[in-house]
């Protein structure tokens, strides 16, 4: 589920409208990821550098190949049955770059863990247009302190 708390610069911006439609694909890729499936995230991720990910563990990974390998391995930690949503605080786009920032709330099942595991993360993601498609080039996720 995408929940838009507020959206900045909505005045007749066709790039933002396009990006908002894309965000449904982004949410699906995220939900697939937290259910153990990497393919949808791979399809919207940069294949060429620059690309970075700053995961909740606090490490920094650079380079498209390294980021995609990290994400593929990460997806393998999850099992089907997740609930996942984005609370978009703000987002914007132009012809070449787009971003969103907000909260990702997930309840997941993980290999080797009993019961549900909750993740509430502060998220910033940046996307680049490549061949007329949005591609994820940066993700920063860290734990939300409620």
């Amino acid at each position: 589920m995408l929940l838009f708390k507020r959206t900045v610069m909505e005045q007749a911006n066709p790039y933002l409208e396009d990006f908002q439609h894309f965000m449904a694909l982004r949410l699906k890729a995220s939900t697939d990821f937290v259910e153990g499936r990497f393919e949808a995230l791979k399809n919207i991720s940069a294949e060429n550098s620059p690309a970075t990910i700053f995961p909740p563990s606090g490490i920094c990974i650079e380079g498209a190949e390294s980021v995609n390998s990290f994400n593929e391995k990460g997806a393998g930690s999850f099992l089907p049955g997740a609930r996942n949503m984005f609370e978009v605080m703000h987002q914007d786009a132009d012809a070449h770059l787009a971003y969103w920032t907000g909260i990702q709330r997930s309840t997941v099942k993980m290999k080797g863990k009993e019961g549900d595991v909750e993740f509430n993360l502060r998220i910033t993601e940046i996307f680049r247009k490549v061949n007329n498609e949005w591609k994820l080039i940066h993700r920063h996720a860290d734990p939300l302190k409620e």
Side-chain angles (χ1 to χ4, degrees), residues 44-84:
I44 65 163
S45 293
E47 297 173 356
N48 299 306
S49 296
T52 49
I53 186 169
F54 299 168
S57 63
I59 63 174
C60 302
I61 298 168
E62 187 173 11
E65 187 174 316
S66 296
V67 169
N68 288 324
S69 293
F70 177 81
N71 282 331
E72 184 172 20
K73 182 179 177 187
S77 301
F78 297 99
L79 297 167
R83 290 184 308 278
N84 185 51

Side-chain angles (χ1 to χ4, degrees), residues 97-117:
L97 291 172
Y99 77 94
W100 78 274
T101 186
I103 309 299
Q104 178 179 356
R105 296 187 189 274
S106 306
T107 304
V108 302
K109 300 189 182 313
M110 297 187 75
K111 292 179 180 175
K113 298 208 182 227
E114 290 292 321
D116 291 340
V117 178

